[in-house]
């Protein structure tokens, strides 16, 4: 028999049992659709995290306080350490060759009021370079300036969500709000960056010196020195990241009087390392989701094998007759393999369409970001085809090995 004739015979056999064929294909359809949809969602999560981190700025180093061991009274304890505004000034004046900008931040949550509206928001004291480092875009008004810091100006810039919640349809710029009882003039509103790590949409920015003098008080002071939450350094090139990190480490260890054997009481995080770590985690989760979805494909494959075994039993006399007129084992084997592969191919095609549709619906509705890639489609389709071949081999071999005389006498 020609290969085309085998396909015709296989399709006739499948059409003869439409409901059974449909139910068999359904297992493959669900499996392939699940694999495509879940891999697309996993890829979307990876892309979303990458975009969020990159949108916060490029080539950034983040310096924050670490932990310091202490032994008061002979017992081991852990005491939070601090980084100081003086550390920022030291780094600002020393690290000049490879950096674009350096920004201090001190942050706390306060009650904010405008008229009858009240909410709790994170208030961040910072400098003018924050706008450049974090790639902020101003929707209206302006951002904090160096002059605001020098003059202790009582001015503030609102994130887009805070402006919406607090002012509604009223124009924020030019109005006055109360932050923990201190009056601030609104001078600007930022454009929305969307949900992200440390999203500025939910924050209020004020001059850092104003914050120290008028707002933060003892919460930003330790041992008579002004403390910071973070120091953010923008490095000119990716290749200089390690150099700047090493220089900052040396300067801070010396400033904090740490001995060579002492553990650092601060942390320096490389944005690239954070991005690589998060991407590794999301890729692992994507593979895990794909593996879970693959289980449904295995179930579909078992269904194909069961159906084909039933088909071999029902068509035993047909097989015997074909062998009696000269059909070889390979021809019988090929015929039944074609039937199983046809089931898998049909299920794979329908499953891919359903999976793409599902992922697209999630993206359009905004429930979950999904990214459909050719790789996920090819992988799901190939797996479905492999499942069809693997689980079709045993029934095909069983059919091919039937003795013609035994098969013809089968009732």
């Amino acid at each position: 028999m020609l290969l085309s004739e085998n396909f015709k015979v296989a399709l006739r056999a499948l059409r003869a049992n439409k409901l059974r064929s449909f139910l068999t294909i359904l297992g493959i359809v669900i499996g392939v659709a699940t694999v495509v949809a879940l891999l697309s969602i996993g890829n979307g999560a990876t892309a979303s995290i990458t975009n969020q981190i990159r949108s916060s700025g490029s080539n950034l180093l983040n310096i924050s306080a670490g932990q310091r061991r202490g032994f008061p009274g002979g017992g081991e304890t852990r005491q939070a350490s601090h980084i100081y505004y003086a550390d920022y000034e030291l780094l600002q004046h020393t690290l000049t060759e490879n950096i674009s900008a350096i920004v201090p931040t001190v942050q706390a949550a306060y009650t904010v009021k405008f008229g009858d509206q009240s909410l709790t928001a994170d208030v961040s004291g910072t400098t003018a370079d924050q706008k450049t480092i974090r790639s902020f875009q101003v929707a209206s008004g302006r951002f904090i300036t160096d002059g605001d810091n020098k003059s202790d100006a009582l001015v503030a810039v609102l994130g887009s969500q805070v402006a919406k919640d607090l002012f509604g349809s009223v124009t924020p710029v030019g109005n006055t709000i109360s932050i923990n009882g201190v009056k601030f003039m609104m001078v600007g509103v930022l454009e929305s960056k969307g949900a992200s790590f440390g999203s500025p949409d939910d924050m209020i920015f004020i001059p850092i010196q104003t914050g120290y003098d008028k707002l933060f008080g003892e919460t930003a002071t330790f041992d008579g020195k002004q403390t910071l939450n973070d120091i953010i350094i923008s490095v000119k090139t990716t290749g200089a990241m390690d150099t700047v990190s090493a220089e900052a480490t040396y300067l801070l260890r010396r400033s904090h009087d740490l001995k060579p054997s002492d553990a650092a009481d601060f942390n320096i995080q490389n944005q690239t390392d954070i991005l690589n770590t998060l991407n590794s985690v999301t890729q692992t989760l994507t593979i895990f989701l794909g593996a879970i979805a693959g289980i449904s494909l295995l179930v579909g494959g078992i269904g194909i094998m069961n159906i084909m075994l039933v088909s071999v039993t029902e068509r035993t006399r047909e097989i015997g007759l074909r062998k009696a007129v000269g059909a070889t084992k390979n021809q019988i084997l090929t015929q039944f393999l074609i039937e199983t592969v046809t089931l898998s191919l049909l299920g794979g095609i329908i499953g891919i369409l359903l999976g793409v549709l599902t992922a697209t619906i999630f993206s359009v509705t905004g429930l979950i970001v999904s990214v459909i890639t050719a790789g996920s489609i090819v992988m799901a389709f190939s797996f479905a085809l492999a499942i069809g071949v693997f689980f079709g081999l045993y029934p095909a071999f069983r059919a091919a090995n039937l003795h013609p005389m035994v098969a013809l006498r089968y009732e």
Side-chain angles (χ1 to χ4, degrees):
M1 292 177 68
L2 297 173
L3 187 61
S4 60
E5 187 64 26
N6 270 318
F7 270 110
K8 292 178 182 178
V9 172
L11 290 173
R12 280 200 299 270
L14 297 177
R15 284 198 299 267
N17 297 280
K18 293 184 179 65
L19 180 60
R20 188 167 68 187
S21 298
F22 170 74
L23 294 175
T24 305
I25 290 174
L26 189 60
I28 298 296
V29 169
I30 294 173
V32 171
T34 306
V35 169
V36 172
L38 288 182
L39 288 180
S40 298
I41 290 171
N43 291 331
T46 301
S48 178
I49 289 172
T50 300
N51 291 335
Q52 288 173 13
I53 292 177
R54 286 177 177 169
S55 69
S56 67
S58 59
N59 299 337
L60 301 185
L61 293 174
N62 185 282
I63 303 174
S64 58
Q67 296 286 328
R68 179 171 53 201
R69 291 184 181 276
F71 299 88
E76 181 177 356
T77 63
R78 294 187 70 84
Q79 178 185 5
S81 60
H82 300 276
I83 55 173
Y84 303 98
Y85 189 81
D87 293 330
Y88 155 70
E89 292 180 312
L90 171 65
L91 296 176
Q92 182 187 37
H93 293 133
T94 308
L95 301 177
T96 56
E97 184 177 349
N98 292 310
I99 70 171
S100 302
I102 180 169
V103 170
T105 61
V106 56
Q107 185 171 312
Y110 292 105
T111 300
V112 183
K113 295 180 180 180
F114 172 71
D116 296 332
Q117 297 297 320
S118 176
L119 56 81
T120 300
D122 287 329
V123 179
S124 177
T126 188
T127 60
D129 284 335
Q130 179 82 248
K131 176 177 178 290
T132 303
I133 282 185
R134 298 287 301 278
S135 302
F136 291 163
Q137 298 297 322
V138 178
S140 61
R142 62 174 177 83
F143 197 68
I144 296 164
T145 65
D146 291 332
D148 293 332
N149 263 308
K150 291 177 181 178
S151 63
D152 272 3
L154 290 167
V155 295
V157 177
L158 301 182
S160 60
Q161 190 60 48
V162 175
K164 180 180 178 181
D165 293 341
L166 202 59
F167 287 90
S169 58
V170 178
T171 302
V173 176
N175 281 294
T176 301
I177 63 172
S178 170
I179 303 177
N180 199 37
V182 181
K183 302 294 183 180
F184 284 82
M185 176 71 72
M186 298 298 95
V187 295
V189 177
L190 299 178
E191 288 187 0
S192 175
K193 270 185 171 286
S196 63
F197 296 100
S199 174
D201 295 357
D202 302 314
M203 299 177 67
I204 299 174
F205 298 90
I206 64 173
I208 191 168
Q209 291 301 333
T210 304
Y212 282 134
D213 296 339
K214 307 293 185 181
L215 193 63
F216 299 126
E218 292 184 359
T219 61
T221 304
F222 179 78
D223 199 21
K225 294 186 289 186
Q226 295 171 330
T227 61
L228 295 171
N229 289 86
D230 302 280
I231 300 172
I232 305 172
I233 302 175
S234 176
V235 184
K236 290 180 180 178
T237 63
T238 303
M241 296 279 281
D242 291 339
T243 300
V244 175
S245 178
E247 291 174 348
T249 299
Y250 169 77
L251 291 170
L252 290 176
R253 289 185 64 90
R254 188 179 66 179
S255 174
H256 292 193
D257 296 324
L258 296 177
K259 299 177 181 178
S261 59
D262 292 339
D265 59 353
F266 55 88
N267 299 313
I268 299 182
Q269 292 181 304
N270 186 319
Q271 184 191 44
T272 303
D273 292 340
I274 295 172
L275 182 59
N276 291 338
T277 300
L278 289 174
N279 281 341
S280 176
V281 170
T282 54
Q283 287 170 5
T284 301
L285 289 175
T286 301
I287 293 171
F288 181 67
L289 289 173
I292 293 175
I295 294 174
S296 60
L297 268 176
L298 289 175
V299 173
I302 293 171
I304 287 179
M305 184 171 67
N306 288 336
I307 292 300
M308 293 310 300
L309 285 173
V310 172
S311 180
V312 169
T313 302
E314 290 179 346
R315 296 161 62 187
T316 299
R317 288 177 62 83
E318 175 192 331
I319 295 168
L321 181 60
R322 292 193 178 192
K323 283 198 163 189
V325 297
T328 64
K329 283 186 177 182
N330 285 338
Q331 289 172 334
I332 300 296
L333 178 67
T334 301
Q335 180 191 334
F336 279 89
L337 270 180
I338 286 175
E339 290 186 25
T340 58
V341 170
T342 301
L343 286 170
S344 296
L345 288 176
L346 289 174
I349 292 171
I350 297 172
I352 287 171
L353 295 175
L354 183 60
V356 170
L357 178 62
T358 302
T360 303
I361 290 173
F362 275 122
S363 290
V364 170
T365 57
L367 295 175
I368 300 175
V369 177
S370 61
V371 175
I372 302 166
T373 63
S376 61
I377 292 175
V378 170
M379 188 183 76
F381 189 76
S382 301
F383 196 27
L385 185 60
I387 287 288
V389 173
F390 179 79
F391 285 100
L393 278 175
Y394 176 69
F397 272 117
R398 183 171 176 178
N401 289 323
L402 284 174
H403 193 280
M405 296 303 294
V406 174
L408 286 170
R409 291 198 303 267
Y410 182 82
E411 296 294 337

